Amino acid sequence: MHIVCKDHLEIAIDIFVDEFEDAPDIIDLQKVQFKDWQPPTHCERCADGEARFLVV
């Protein structure tokens, strides 16, 4: 699972495919809310990027 900004989405997809040898599901965190989980507010790859996509 990776939580990234728009700028790092492609990198997160590549890492996921390398790890699991399968295409990930990409969830736009601006369009989906989870009942029991609050996503981080910042990208895991940079401190100033807004967490926008969940790659699972």
Side-chain angles (χ1 to χ4, degrees):
M1 175 173 76
H2 301 279
I3 301 163
V4 294
C5 63
K6 186 176 182 177
D7 293 337
H8 291 107
L9 180 58
E10 188 173 327
I11 294 169
I13 293 169
D14 289 343
I15 292 169
F16 187 94
V17 170
D18 287 346
E19 251 180 75
F20 299 103
E21 298 179 358
D22 198 8
D25 291 321
I26 300 169
I27 300 167
D28 187 339
L29 294 172
Q30 290 184 346
K31 296 181 180 180
V32 176
Q33 292 186 6
F34 298 93
K35 182 179 177 183
D36 296 326
W37 180 70
Q38 290 296 322
T41 56
H42 292 91
C43 175
E44 67 184 42
R45 302 205 50 90
C46 65
D48 60 339
E50 174 190 2
R52 170 80 190 270
F53 296 100
L54 175 63
V55 180
V56 291

